[in-house]
Amino acid sequence: MTAPASPARPTPKPGVMDIAAYVPGKSSAPAGVSKVHKLSSNENPLGASPAAVDAVRTAAERMEFYPDGSATALREAIGEAYGLNPANILCTNGSDEAIGLLAQVYLQPGDEGVFTEHGFLVYRIYIQSAGGVPVAVTENAETADIDAILAAITPRTKIVFLANPNNPTGTYIPFTEVRRLHAALPPHVLLVLDAAYAEYVRRNDYESGVELVSTSENVVMTRTFSKIHGLGGMRLGWIYAPAHVVDALNRVRGPFNVNAAAIDAGVAAIRDRSHVENTVAHNDHWLPWLTAELTQLGLRVTPSVGNFILIHFPENEAHSAAKADEYLSARGYILRRVAGYGFPNALRMTVGSEEANRGVVAALSDFLKT
Ligand SMILES: *Cc1c(COP(=O)(O)O)cnc(C)c1O
């Protein structure tokens, strides 16, 4: 018997080449467009806190030094802001890293990871990277359906990812529903509550998940500095989790996964409550305004509680999402195509500056008359 021939060059392990790489929102407009409004990645139209900008400038003077590998100052600042024990917080290189670490640590090849039909695409990517089997379950009215999630649980299920509110739909489920999901999950299944947009939500029946994490052994919450704090470029997120989960993640993460400038920026950003409040106030004004104006144009908009809206285009070729995207891009308004999320005829728009919001509505009004 002869050994199988070795490949002529290094080969990725099985499954890697089946992964569809994440496609980020566009950031540029066609040549010749003078002013670009990037509304494709749910970034903060007010920018970062000035205190965070200062902190990064100061950090630049000390960039030869390694960061504190356990980001102690940042975990303490987060703990103070939310009344949490810093020992249950782990800081990550964006919350994407937290999602990846959870998949890597809790999924063996063949294990199933569950998420919803229009859920964040990063879940699928990390489940596949871990050798797991991605299981997408149907939603109800573009909203997570707890019964559908529960129906998908099998003995191979190890992890459930739930973005609440979800991206790109902007819909959320009341916390009674999250509790009902948790109560029916087998105790060995990890429930990941991705609360990337929690700060924006203004609903009495919404909770990000802090209390459920505190009182359970199988629930974690991920958060990010990329959205309300305006630090997308710094790559900073965190996870609030039971001690046994923090312990496991700490064993596999990079020893210096969060860089020094990001740590300092995060400490300054989380202490700047007024910047957060101003951002929420801006969103509270413009989200309903955009929803009303776009609806008036005859476009269907999914009701959102986040800092973005999903805009659905008519079923006629001339006014499709693809055509609208072209039309808007040519005028400097960069929105997000969401075909990869199961919405071939919709665009996601971040709530932008006043100028951007008014500009998009005016441009779409013109577009629909073409
Ligand atoms: C933007 C977003 C994140 C945050 O990603 P970062 O890696 O922290 O920038 C996480 N989850 C969802 C659903 C998001 O939309």
Side-chain angles (χ1 to χ4, degrees):
M1 226 175 78
T2 54
S6 298
R9 60 179 194 182
T11 314
K13 64 184 180 180
V16 170
M17 301 313 290
D18 299 331
I19 299 172
Y22 186 78
V23 182
K26 283 185 297 185
S27 52
S28 61
V33 175
S34 54
K35 183 158 186 191
V36 174
H37 297 276
K38 184 167 185 265
L39 305 169
S40 57
S41 302
N42 301 344
E43 292 144 345
N44 186 334
L46 308 185
S49 154
V53 175
D54 281 347
V56 173
R57 288 214 174 89
T58 306
E61 307 289 334
R62 294 178 280 110
M63 67 169 82
E64 69 275 33
F65 295 112
Y66 274 89
D68 167 13
S70 47
T72 308
L74 180 55
R75 290 188 298 108
E76 285 172 353
I78 295 168
E80 207 172 284
Y82 289 99
L84 307 176
N85 182 350
N88 295 103
I89 295 170
L90 186 131
C91 296
T92 53
N93 193 272
S95 53
D96 285 357
E97 186 192 20
I99 295 163
L101 289 171
L102 290 165
Q104 189 188 337
V105 166
Y106 291 99
L107 290 175
Q108 291 193 54
D111 285 345
E112 292 165 3
V114 173
F115 52 93
T116 67
E117 178 180 16
H118 305 297
F120 194 35
L121 282 175
V122 163
Y123 307 146
R124 174 188 290 275
I125 291 174
Y126 283 122
I127 290 166
Q128 287 180 288
S129 307
V133 178
V135 178
V137 306
T138 54
E139 298 187 5
N140 187 359
E142 293 157 11
T143 307
D145 176 346
I146 296 313
D147 295 307
I149 295 174
L150 287 172
I153 304 298
T154 76
R156 296 305 311 254
T157 310
K158 294 291 161 54
I159 198 161
V160 174
F161 288 105
L162 180 69
N164 198 29
N166 184 49
N167 166 17
T169 53
T171 56
Y172 79 106
I173 57 170
F175 214 73
T176 48
E177 283 290 278
V178 179
R179 284 185 195 283
R180 185 164 76 81
L181 168 62
H182 175 249
L185 279 183
H188 68 273
V189 175
L190 184 68
L191 174 60
V192 181
L193 302 175
D194 179 342
Y197 301 95
E199 299 89 343
Y200 285 107
V201 186
R202 288 283 172 273
R203 291 291 190 282
N204 289 332
D205 57 358
Y206 175 79
E207 279 177 48
S208 61
V210 166
E211 198 198 322
L212 192 59
V213 174
S214 303
T215 55
S216 313
E217 291 280 32
N218 65 331
V219 186
V220 305
M221 170 184 72
T222 62
R223 299 291 285 258
T224 182
F225 281 85
S226 302
K227 306 290 159 57
I228 196 126
H229 295 294
L231 297 183
M234 296 303 291
R235 309 307 305 129
L236 188 60
W238 54 281
I239 179 166
Y240 177 56
H244 70 95
V245 175
V246 171
D247 177 46
L249 299 185
N250 266 326
R251 292 166 195 259
V252 301
R253 71 173 170 87
F256 304 102
N257 59 330
V258 178
N259 71 70
I263 292 173
D264 293 355
V267 170
I270 206 142
R271 289 187 179 148
D272 190 346
R273 300 311 300 168
S274 71
H275 187 69
V276 170
E277 283 163 21
N278 291 341
T279 304
V280 170
H282 177 89
N283 203 63
D284 282 351
H285 178 75
W286 291 104
L287 178 68
W289 184 87
L290 280 168
T291 306
E293 294 285 324
L294 294 168
T295 306
Q296 238 178 10
L297 293 180
L299 297 170
R300 182 170 78 83
V301 163
T302 305
S304 171
V305 296
N307 68 332
F308 56 90
I309 42 174
L310 188 63
I311 310 168
H312 303 267
F313 286 83
E315 289 303 328
N316 74 61
E317 190 49 38
H319 293 146
S320 66
K323 290 272 163 52
D325 186 36
E326 255 174 57
Y327 191 91
L328 292 169
S329 297
R331 286 154 185 78
Y333 303 106
I334 312 301
L335 276 62
R336 182 75 145 91
R337 296 293 308 270
V338 282
Y341 285 93
F343 295 111
N345 202 26
L347 296 176
R348 190 192 67 197
M349 174 187 178
T350 305
V351 174
S353 65
E354 170 168 4
E355 185 190 354
N357 298 335
R358 291 191 186 280
V360 169
V361 169
L364 282 177
S365 170
D366 293 343
F367 166 71
L368 291 168
K369 291 177 197 144
T370 58

Tab-separated table of all heavy atoms in Angstrom, residues 23-71:
chain	number	residue	atom	x	y	z
A	23	VAL	N	-17.699	40.692	3.363
A	23	VAL	CA	-17.531	41.857	2.491
A	23	VAL	C	-17.976	43.095	3.272
A	23	VAL	O	-19.166	43.262	3.526
A	23	VAL	CB	-18.383	41.716	1.203
A	23	VAL	CG1	-18.167	42.912	0.286
A	23	VAL	CG2	-18.039	40.414	0.480
A	24	PRO	N	-17.049	43.953	3.671
A	24	PRO	CA	-17.433	45.131	4.447
A	24	PRO	C	-18.190	46.146	3.587
A	24	PRO	O	-18.140	46.074	2.354
A	24	PRO	CB	-16.096	45.732	4.903
A	24	PRO	CG	-15.045	44.748	4.557
A	24	PRO	CD	-15.596	43.886	3.462
A	25	GLY	N	-18.859	47.087	4.245
A	25	GLY	CA	-19.538	48.162	3.525
A	25	GLY	C	-18.526	48.964	2.719
A	25	GLY	O	-17.371	49.114	3.113
A	26	LYS	N	-18.973	49.467	1.571
A	26	LYS	CA	-18.082	50.283	0.727
A	26	LYS	C	-17.736	51.572	1.457
A	26	LYS	O	-18.509	52.069	2.261
A	26	LYS	CB	-18.805	50.676	-0.574
A	26	LYS	CG	-18.902	49.585	-1.608
A	26	LYS	CD	-19.513	50.141	-2.886
A	26	LYS	CE	-20.953	50.630	-2.672
A	26	LYS	NZ	-21.650	51.081	-3.861
A	27	SER	N	-16.590	52.141	1.122
A	27	SER	CA	-16.260	53.402	1.764
A	27	SER	C	-15.926	54.488	0.757
A	27	SER	O	-15.630	55.607	1.119
A	27	SER	CB	-15.108	53.226	2.753
A	27	SER	OG	-14.044	52.591	2.121
A	28	SER	N	-15.980	54.170	-0.541
A	28	SER	CA	-15.643	55.210	-1.504
A	28	SER	C	-16.748	55.344	-2.553
A	28	SER	O	-17.534	54.429	-2.765
A	28	SER	CB	-14.310	54.897	-2.175
A	28	SER	OG	-14.428	53.677	-2.866
A	29	ALA	N	-16.779	56.501	-3.180
A	29	ALA	CA	-17.753	56.792	-4.224
A	29	ALA	C	-17.018	56.803	-5.561
A	29	ALA	O	-15.788	56.838	-5.594
A	29	ALA	CB	-18.397	58.147	-3.950
A	30	PRO	N	-17.764	56.766	-6.672
A	30	PRO	CA	-17.091	56.825	-7.973
A	30	PRO	C	-16.248	58.090	-8.096
A	30	PRO	O	-16.543	59.092	-7.433
A	30	PRO	CB	-18.251	56.852	-8.974
A	30	PRO	CG	-19.474	56.452	-8.222
A	30	PRO	CD	-19.233	56.727	-6.789
A	31	ALA	N	-15.222	58.036	-8.944
A	31	ALA	CA	-14.349	59.197	-9.145
A	31	ALA	C	-15.186	60.412	-9.548
A	31	ALA	O	-16.187	60.279	-10.246
A	31	ALA	CB	-13.330	58.878	-10.234
A	32	GLY	N	-14.786	61.578	-9.059
A	32	GLY	CA	-15.471	62.795	-9.462
A	32	GLY	C	-16.523	63.253	-8.455
A	32	GLY	O	-16.998	64.384	-8.538
A	33	VAL	N	-16.897	62.382	-7.500
A	33	VAL	CA	-17.863	62.809	-6.486
A	33	VAL	C	-17.110	63.616	-5.439
A	33	VAL	O	-16.116	63.156	-4.883
A	33	VAL	CB	-18.541	61.585	-5.836
A	33	VAL	CG1	-19.448	62.012	-4.697
A	33	VAL	CG2	-19.319	60.800	-6.876
A	34	SER	N	-17.576	64.841	-5.197
A	34	SER	CA	-16.765	65.722	-4.349
A	34	SER	C	-16.881	65.369	-2.870
A	34	SER	O	-15.885	65.267	-2.176
A	34	SER	CB	-17.148	67.180	-4.581
A	34	SER	OG	-18.548	67.332	-4.404
A	35	LYS	N	-18.107	65.143	-2.381
A	35	LYS	CA	-18.230	64.861	-0.946
A	35	LYS	C	-18.872	63.495	-0.728
A	35	LYS	O	-19.909	63.198	-1.304
A	35	LYS	CB	-19.080	65.947	-0.283
A	35	LYS	CG	-19.189	65.753	1.204
A	35	LYS	CD	-19.530	67.005	1.959
A	35	LYS	CE	-19.466	66.733	3.459
A	35	LYS	NZ	-20.019	67.824	4.238
A	36	VAL	N	-18.219	62.689	0.092
A	36	VAL	CA	-18.710	61.334	0.330
A	36	VAL	C	-19.332	61.241	1.722
A	36	VAL	O	-18.728	61.666	2.706
A	36	VAL	CB	-17.556	60.317	0.188
A	36	VAL	CG1	-18.018	58.924	0.587
A	36	VAL	CG2	-17.024	60.322	-1.234
A	37	HIS	N	-20.556	60.702	1.787
A	37	HIS	CA	-21.198	60.425	3.072
A	37	HIS	C	-21.240	58.916	3.240
A	37	HIS	O	-22.008	58.240	2.569
A	37	HIS	CB	-22.623	60.981	3.094
A	37	HIS	CG	-22.688	62.468	2.964
A	37	HIS	ND1	-22.533	63.316	4.045
A	37	HIS	CD2	-22.866	63.268	1.887
A	37	HIS	CE1	-22.627	64.574	3.632
A	37	HIS	NE2	-22.826	64.581	2.335
A	38	LYS	N	-20.399	58.405	4.120
A	38	LYS	CA	-20.348	56.951	4.312
A	38	LYS	C	-21.440	56.526	5.292
A	38	LYS	O	-21.371	56.841	6.479
A	38	LYS	CB	-18.964	56.530	4.825
A	38	LYS	CG	-18.822	55.024	4.962
A	38	LYS	CD	-17.362	54.616	5.173
A	38	LYS	CE	-17.212	53.107	5.185
A	38	LYS	NZ	-17.234	52.549	6.552
A	39	LEU	N	-22.428	55.842	4.765
A	39	LEU	CA	-23.581	55.424	5.559
A	39	LEU	C	-23.730	53.910	5.464
A	39	LEU	O	-24.830	53.372	5.491
A	39	LEU	CB	-24.845	56.121	5.022
A	39	LEU	CG	-24.759	57.664	4.957
A	39	LEU	CD1	-25.923	58.244	4.163
A	39	LEU	CD2	-24.725	58.261	6.362
A	40	SER	N	-22.583	53.236	5.336
A	40	SER	CA	-22.616	51.803	5.036
A	40	SER	C	-22.171	50.910	6.188
A	40	SER	O	-22.246	49.689	6.076
A	40	SER	CB	-21.731	51.519	3.816
A	40	SER	OG	-20.411	51.961	4.061
A	41	SER	N	-21.681	51.477	7.284
A	41	SER	CA	-21.147	50.600	8.338
A	41	SER	C	-21.615	50.968	9.741
A	41	SER	O	-20.984	50.566	10.725
A	41	SER	CB	-19.610	50.587	8.288
A	41	SER	OG	-19.168	50.154	7.022
A	42	ASN	N	-22.707	51.718	9.835
A	42	ASN	CA	-23.306	52.052	11.136
A	42	ASN	C	-22.345	52.766	12.088
A	42	ASN	O	-22.368	52.565	13.301
A	42	ASN	CB	-23.911	50.803	11.789
A	42	ASN	CG	-24.965	50.177	10.904
A	42	ASN	OD1	-25.452	50.819	9.975
A	42	ASN	ND2	-25.323	48.937	11.167
A	43	GLU	N	-21.508	53.595	11.494
A	43	GLU	CA	-20.569	54.392	12.279
A	43	GLU	C	-21.267	55.617	12.862
A	43	GLU	O	-22.333	56.011	12.402
A	43	GLU	CB	-19.390	54.803	11.384
A	43	GLU	CG	-18.541	53.598	11.006
A	43	GLU	CD	-17.951	53.628	9.601
A	43	GLU	OE1	-18.409	54.432	8.782
A	43	GLU	OE2	-17.038	52.822	9.335
A	44	ASN	N	-20.653	56.210	13.883
A	44	ASN	CA	-21.260	57.350	14.578
A	44	ASN	C	-21.064	58.637	13.769
A	44	ASN	O	-19.930	59.052	13.550
A	44	ASN	CB	-20.627	57.480	15.973
A	44	ASN	CG	-21.311	58.549	16.807
A	44	ASN	OD1	-21.893	59.497	16.281
A	44	ASN	ND2	-21.236	58.394	18.120
A	45	PRO	N	-22.166	59.281	13.337
A	45	PRO	CA	-22.018	60.500	12.524
A	45	PRO	C	-21.390	61.654	13.313
A	45	PRO	O	-20.905	62.614	12.696
A	45	PRO	CB	-23.457	60.837	12.105
A	45	PRO	CG	-24.331	60.143	13.088
A	45	PRO	CD	-23.578	58.932	13.558
A	46	LEU	N	-21.376	61.560	14.647
A	46	LEU	CA	-20.740	62.615	15.447
A	46	LEU	C	-19.259	62.303	15.687
A	46	LEU	O	-18.565	63.065	16.351
A	46	LEU	CB	-21.450	62.786	16.794
A	46	LEU	CG	-22.982	62.992	16.751
A	46	LEU	CD1	-23.527	63.260	18.153
A	46	LEU	CD2	-23.359	64.131	15.815
A	47	GLY	N	-18.796	61.169	15.194
A	47	GLY	CA	-17.393	60.804	15.405
A	47	GLY	C	-17.177	60.236	16.802
A	47	GLY	O	-18.121	59.887	17.510
A	48	ALA	N	-15.901	60.167	17.190
A	48	ALA	CA	-15.561	59.655	18.519
A	48	ALA	C	-15.595	60.793	19.524
A	48	ALA	O	-15.566	61.974	19.153
A	48	ALA	CB	-14.176	59.026	18.488
A	49	SER	N	-15.623	60.448	20.793
A	49	SER	CA	-15.497	61.441	21.862
A	49	SER	C	-14.159	62.174	21.713
A	49	SER	O	-13.128	61.546	21.482
A	49	SER	CB	-15.532	60.713	23.210
A	49	SER	OG	-14.860	61.471	24.187
A	50	PRO	N	-14.164	63.510	21.859
A	50	PRO	CA	-12.887	64.249	21.804
A	50	PRO	C	-11.887	63.726	22.849
A	50	PRO	O	-10.674	63.735	22.616
A	50	PRO	CB	-13.285	65.697	22.118
A	50	PRO	CG	-14.763	65.775	21.858
A	50	PRO	CD	-15.319	64.389	22.060
A	51	ALA	N	-12.403	63.250	23.960
A	51	ALA	CA	-11.516	62.706	24.994
A	51	ALA	C	-10.809	61.443	24.495
A	51	ALA	O	-9.635	61.210	24.811
A	51	ALA	CB	-12.321	62.400	26.263
A	52	ALA	N	-11.507	60.657	23.685
A	52	ALA	CA	-10.885	59.443	23.136
A	52	ALA	C	-9.812	59.816	22.106
A	52	ALA	O	-8.748	59.190	22.039
A	52	ALA	CB	-11.947	58.546	22.502
A	53	VAL	N	-10.090	60.853	21.333
A	53	VAL	CA	-9.109	61.311	20.336
A	53	VAL	C	-7.836	61.772	21.055
A	53	VAL	O	-6.714	61.412	20.671
A	53	VAL	CB	-9.707	62.440	19.460
A	53	VAL	CG1	-8.658	62.996	18.508
A	53	VAL	CG2	-10.925	61.922	18.685
A	54	ASP	N	-8.008	62.543	22.122
A	54	ASP	CA	-6.848	62.990	22.911
A	54	ASP	C	-6.077	61.807	23.475
A	54	ASP	O	-4.846	61.798	23.488
A	54	ASP	CB	-7.318	63.859	24.095
A	54	ASP	CG	-7.640	65.282	23.651
A	54	ASP	OD1	-7.272	65.642	22.507
A	54	ASP	OD2	-8.270	66.013	24.445
A	55	ALA	N	-6.812	60.824	23.968
A	55	ALA	CA	-6.158	59.659	24.587
A	55	ALA	C	-5.291	58.927	23.565
A	55	ALA	O	-4.195	58.466	23.891
A	55	ALA	CB	-7.221	58.717	25.171
A	56	VAL	N	-5.762	58.851	22.327
A	56	VAL	CA	-4.982	58.154	21.295
A	56	VAL	C	-3.730	58.962	20.930
A	56	VAL	O	-2.649	58.414	20.735
A	56	VAL	CB	-5.851	57.870	20.048
A	56	VAL	CG1	-5.016	57.311	18.906
A	56	VAL	CG2	-6.964	56.883	20.408
A	57	ARG	N	-3.879	60.292	20.888
A	57	ARG	CA	-2.696	61.139	20.623
A	57	ARG	C	-1.634	60.906	21.686
A	57	ARG	O	-0.456	60.753	21.383
A	57	ARG	CB	-3.090	62.620	20.631
A	57	ARG	CG	-3.892	63.026	19.433
A	57	ARG	CD	-3.566	64.480	19.004
A	57	ARG	NE	-4.272	64.733	17.755
A	57	ARG	CZ	-5.528	65.206	17.702
A	57	ARG	NH1	-6.173	65.524	18.817
A	57	ARG	NH2	-6.111	65.374	16.539
A	58	THR	N	-2.076	60.880	22.935
A	58	THR	CA	-1.133	60.677	24.039
A	58	THR	C	-0.509	59.281	23.948
A	58	THR	O	0.693	59.111	24.164
A	58	THR	CB	-1.851	60.863	25.394
A	58	THR	OG1	-2.494	62.140	25.369
A	58	THR	CG2	-0.887	60.800	26.552
A	59	ALA	N	-1.330	58.302	23.616
A	59	ALA	CA	-0.826	56.923	23.527
A	59	ALA	C	0.249	56.806	22.444
A	59	ALA	O	1.164	55.978	22.556
A	59	ALA	CB	-1.979	55.958	23.232
A	60	ALA	N	0.159	57.651	21.419
A	60	ALA	CA	1.140	57.593	20.326
A	60	ALA	C	2.556	57.869	20.831
A	60	ALA	O	3.538	57.409	20.242
A	60	ALA	CB	0.762	58.584	19.224
A	61	GLU	N	2.669	58.592	21.943
A	61	GLU	CA	3.999	58.911	22.496
A	61	GLU	C	4.652	57.688	23.147
A	61	GLU	O	5.822	57.721	23.490
A	61	GLU	CB	3.885	60.009	23.575
A	61	GLU	CG	3.152	61.266	23.139
A	61	GLU	CD	3.977	62.083	22.147
A	61	GLU	OE1	5.215	61.968	22.170
A	61	GLU	OE2	3.353	62.816	21.342
A	62	ARG	N	3.855	56.636	23.378
A	62	ARG	CA	4.380	55.479	24.123
A	62	ARG	C	4.194	54.184	23.333
A	62	ARG	O	4.018	53.125	23.908
A	62	ARG	CB	3.657	55.377	25.479
A	62	ARG	CG	3.948	56.536	26.418
A	62	ARG	CD	3.178	56.416	27.732
A	62	ARG	NE	1.789	56.853	27.623
A	62	ARG	CZ	0.726	56.052	27.670
A	62	ARG	NH1	0.869	54.770	27.870
A	62	ARG	NH2	-0.488	56.548	27.537
A	63	MET	N	4.227	54.278	22.027
A	63	MET	CA	3.849	53.082	21.271
A	63	MET	C	4.903	51.984	21.245
A	63	MET	O	4.632	50.885	20.767
A	63	MET	CB	3.369	53.439	19.860
A	63	MET	CG	4.390	54.000	18.948
A	63	MET	SD	3.734	54.041	17.263
A	63	MET	CE	2.757	55.535	17.250
A	64	GLU	N	6.088	52.243	21.792
A	64	GLU	CA	7.077	51.159	21.842
A	64	GLU	C	6.771	50.138	22.943
A	64	GLU	O	7.312	49.042	22.946
A	64	GLU	CB	8.496	51.725	22.024
A	64	GLU	CG	8.804	52.367	23.370
A	64	GLU	CD	8.387	53.843	23.454
A	64	GLU	OE1	7.384	54.228	22.824
A	64	GLU	OE2	9.063	54.592	24.172
A	65	PHE	N	5.891	50.510	23.869
A	65	PHE	CA	5.591	49.602	24.981
A	65	PHE	C	4.413	48.687	24.661
A	65	PHE	O	3.399	49.133	24.104
A	65	PHE	CB	5.257	50.403	26.248
A	65	PHE	CG	6.424	51.212	26.751
A	65	PHE	CD1	6.404	52.601	26.699
A	65	PHE	CD2	7.556	50.580	27.258
A	65	PHE	CE1	7.483	53.353	27.142
A	65	PHE	CE2	8.648	51.331	27.710
A	65	PHE	CZ	8.609	52.717	27.646
A	66	TYR	N	4.545	47.439	25.053
A	66	TYR	CA	3.425	46.503	24.925
A	66	TYR	C	2.251	46.996	25.782
A	66	TYR	O	2.456	47.617	26.825
A	66	TYR	CB	3.838	45.126	25.445
A	66	TYR	CG	4.515	44.272	24.396
A	66	TYR	CD1	5.886	44.320	24.205
A	66	TYR	CD2	3.753	43.412	23.619
A	66	TYR	CE1	6.495	43.539	23.242
A	66	TYR	CE2	4.356	42.619	22.660
A	66	TYR	CZ	5.728	42.685	22.470
A	66	TYR	OH	6.323	41.902	21.517
A	67	PRO	N	1.037	46.672	25.338
A	67	PRO	CA	-0.113	47.037	26.181
A	67	PRO	C	-0.227	46.113	27.399
A	67	PRO	O	0.437	45.076	27.452
A	67	PRO	CB	-1.300	46.800	25.229
A	67	PRO	CG	-0.838	45.777	24.254
A	67	PRO	CD	0.647	45.982	24.099
A	68	ASP	N	-1.080	46.495	28.327
A	68	ASP	CA	-1.447	45.606	29.431
A	68	ASP	C	-2.278	44.475	28.816
A	68	ASP	O	-3.390	44.702	28.328
A	68	ASP	CB	-2.266	46.389	30.468
A	68	ASP	CG	-2.960	45.477	31.476
A	68	ASP	OD1	-2.616	44.268	31.536
A	68	ASP	OD2	-3.862	45.961	32.187
A	69	GLY	N	-1.771	43.273	28.826
A	69	GLY	CA	-2.418	42.145	28.158
A	69	GLY	C	-3.788	41.809	28.702
A	69	GLY	O	-4.583	41.146	28.037
A	70	SER	N	-4.096	42.272	29.928
A	70	SER	CA	-5.445	41.988	30.431
A	70	SER	C	-6.318	43.233	30.447
A	70	SER	O	-7.433	43.198	30.995
A	70	SER	CB	-5.385	41.302	31.801
A	70	SER	OG	-4.492	41.963	32.640
A	71	ALA	N	-5.846	44.325	29.844
A	71	ALA	CA	-6.664	45.546	29.689
A	71	ALA	C	-7.378	45.930	30.989
A	71	ALA	O	-8.565	46.268	30.996
A	71	ALA	CB	-7.671	45.367	28.545
